Amino acid sequence: MIFRFCLYGFLKNQRYFAPFWILAFLEKDLTYAMIGLLIGFREISIAVLEIPTGAIADSVGRRGAMILSHVAYVIAFIMFGLASSVPILFVAMFAFAIGEAFRTGTHKAIIFAWLKSQGREREKTHIYGITRSWSQMGSALSVVLAAGLVIWLEEYTVIFWISAIPAALNILNFLSYPKSLDFSGDKKPQRENAMRMLWRATLQCFTSPRLRRPITESMGFEGIYGASKDYLQPLIQSAALALPLLVTWEATQRTAVLIAVIYAVLYLLGSFASRYAGPFSMRFENEEKAAMSLWLAYAATFGILLVGTITSWTGLAIFSFVVLAVMQNLWRPILISRVADEASDEAMATVLSVESQAKSIGIAIIAPVLGITVDLMPPDYRFAPIALLGIAIAFVALAASALPPRSASAE
């Protein structure tokens, strides 16, 4: 099963458009503000859909939810390839959001259910880190393949079409999962219990201080990272045009080469970080302290990014984004393990979907704000707001961590 879990992550991350997402939208004459609105719309859609889809997965079967997710992905990728207007892009984003909503939380619940059935619950961080590392290796391969396509064809649209193929292949992978992983108990829950389960699990997230804290942290950490990470692409494009290399090549081709190199390194380092998230967390007294150490590193890295964005040191800004990606791949397994430790098994997919929804809300709020401020800033300081907001969020999280969580009885 671990092989099939890893194969899922590897195929899921064959998203050939991912390293060129912002550049593909800029090629369609979108502003940064409109791109931010598209990202915000996607995340709001995910937030609206995520808890109900988690409850559906817990109630009517997790494998079916994953298959539906990837059918939605295939539709979204085809529509992105066909899109010639902003309304069609919004429809494609909504289809993509459906895929994300049915996927997030659900597959992690499948992994944790299998670990419990094998008596290996204590390995949650380690096993999830391994599967996530394969996802990152899939991303590393995908960026090389995508760059080759862009260099060959000198345009970005084709990478959306090609991304539909591995999404379809993952459906076949899900069909090989044992039916016993569809539900948490020995028998299928009644459908009429779906909303009851949804309410109990959601209430648990807000009434349990030990669940509320990591979910709130996810909103900040994942929110600023998810909203800002793709701004690495125009920075790489700027660096590619400034380098005295491959001067006979078109700008798109030169950008593709540099993106392939930097993103491949980023994904390989992210794979390494995910694989060793378990050993990393074991260096600390508990996973909460491991998370706080990452918040400190997060603040420092955004500080370095600020220096890179207000000076001519574009390479320093690019380096900062790579480090942020590595830290996010350490953070994610630790956070998921913290949430899973506090969630009941029968509502696991729903609780994990609530966590993912918090992340989506964070991105939905931050992405349009960043897009608008990037458009309004002078060109030489265009990306400074990203760093400033990252520093502010990190310091708020560190200040909050100094306060012990209140007990439920005190509220």
Side-chain angles (χ1 to χ4, degrees):
M1 280 308 301
I2 293 177
F3 169 78
R4 278 175 274 186
F5 294 154
C6 292
L7 179 61
Y8 152 75
F10 184 84
L11 290 173
K12 173 183 68 71
N13 279 28
Q14 295 301 302
R15 294 179 174 180
Y16 305 113
F17 60 85
F20 300 96
W21 186 282
I22 296 290
L23 299 180
F25 287 151
L26 292 174
E27 188 180 61
K28 294 177 183 291
D29 296 324
L30 271 64
T31 63
Y32 284 108
M34 181 56 70
I35 293 170
L37 287 173
L38 271 170
I39 295 172
F41 171 77
R42 178 191 70 197
E43 298 302 323
I44 289 171
S45 299
I46 293 171
V48 170
L49 294 167
E50 202 145 39
I51 294 180
T53 54
I56 291 169
D58 279 329
S59 301
V60 301
R62 295 167 181 170
R63 290 185 312 154
M66 294 302 298
I67 290 171
L68 179 57
S69 163
H70 282 65
V71 169
Y73 282 143
V74 171
I75 294 171
F77 299 153
I78 291 173
M79 291 191 69
F80 278 127
L82 291 172
S84 58
S85 65
V86 171
I88 295 177
L89 287 173
F90 273 97
V91 174
M93 274 296 192
F94 185 73
F96 186 83
I98 292 173
E100 291 287 276
F102 272 97
R103 179 186 63 81
T104 52
T106 304
H107 197 265
K108 289 185 281 289
I110 290 175
I111 294 174
F112 296 150
W114 181 80
L115 288 173
K116 183 174 183 180
S117 72
Q118 302 296 309
R120 300 171 65 177
E121 297 99 319
R122 294 177 63 86
E123 299 179 51
K124 285 192 298 293
T125 302
H126 177 62
I127 298 299
Y128 180 60
I130 290 174
T131 61
R132 188 174 174 83
S133 76
W134 275 96
S135 298
Q136 295 300 303
M137 283 189 277
S139 296
L141 175 63
S142 73
V143 71
V144 175
L145 296 175
L149 289 169
V150 172
I151 292 169
W152 179 29
L153 300 172
E154 297 185 37
E155 57 97 14
Y156 299 113
T157 300
V158 69
I159 55 183
F160 290 113
W161 297 95
I162 301 298
S163 297
I165 297 173
L169 291 175
N170 230 346
I171 294 174
L172 299 178
N173 184 34
F174 297 134
L175 292 173
S176 73
Y177 282 29
K179 293 182 179 180
S180 60
L181 297 178
D182 269 340
F183 307 104
S184 298
D186 295 330
K187 62 179 182 178
K188 174 180 174 179
Q190 295 298 313
R191 293 193 180 201
E192 57 267 23
N193 292 333
M195 293 308 298
R196 191 180 307 163
M197 182 186 301
L198 165 62
W199 171 250
R200 286 202 307 266
T202 305
L203 191 65
Q204 182 184 9
C205 293
F206 292 100
T207 58
S208 168
R210 293 192 63 81
L211 261 178
R212 189 169 60 238
R213 171 165 283 183
I215 288 173
T216 304
E217 287 181 28
S218 175
M219 190 174 185
F221 196 107
E222 301 281 1
I224 181 60
Y225 177 76
S228 65
K229 63 185 177 67
D230 290 330
Y231 286 98
L232 173 59
Q233 296 165 25
L235 283 171
I236 294 175
Q237 183 181 56
S238 175
L241 298 179
L243 287 174
L245 299 174
L246 307 173
V247 292
T248 60
W249 287 27
E250 294 293 330
T252 301
Q253 295 172 316
R254 294 163 66 184
T255 301
V257 170
L258 198 55
I259 280 181
V261 172
I262 292 173
Y263 269 85
V265 171
L266 182 154
Y267 289 136
L268 289 173
L269 290 176
S271 173
F272 180 86
S274 290
R275 184 174 291 272
Y276 287 95
F280 174 83
S281 67
M282 291 176 63
R283 292 176 176 269
F284 298 86
E285 184 179 333
N286 53 53
E287 289 178 330
E288 285 76 11
K289 291 190 176 181
M292 287 307 103
S293 73
L294 287 173
W295 273 115
L296 278 170
Y298 213 48
T301 306
F302 273 112
I304 296 171
L305 177 61
L306 180 62
V307 174
T309 56
I310 63 177
T311 66
S312 58
W313 300 343
T314 305
L316 187 62
I318 292 172
F319 169 78
S320 300
F321 272 112
V322 172
V323 174
L324 288 172
V326 171
M327 284 192 290
Q328 194 268 346
N329 280 285
L330 278 173
W331 165 270
R332 193 73 189 152
I334 293 171
L335 176 78
I336 293 301
S337 181
R338 290 168 65 194
V339 173
D341 283 342
E342 304 299 327
S344 58
D345 183 63
E346 65 274 8
M348 182 73 73
T350 308
V351 171
L352 291 172
S353 290
V354 171
E355 179 277 324
S356 191
Q357 186 192 46
K359 175 184 70 174
S360 296
I361 291 172
I363 298 173
I365 294 170
I366 295 169
V369 173
L370 286 183
I372 293 168
T373 54
V374 166
D375 272 338
L376 294 176
M377 290 291 288
D380 290 344
Y381 307 104
R382 173 168 287 172
F383 301 115
I386 297 171
L388 291 170
L389 186 56
I391 293 169
I393 289 173
F395 276 115
V396 169
L398 288 167
S401 71
L403 302 173
R406 292 183 298 168
S407 64
S409 60
E411 296 184 347

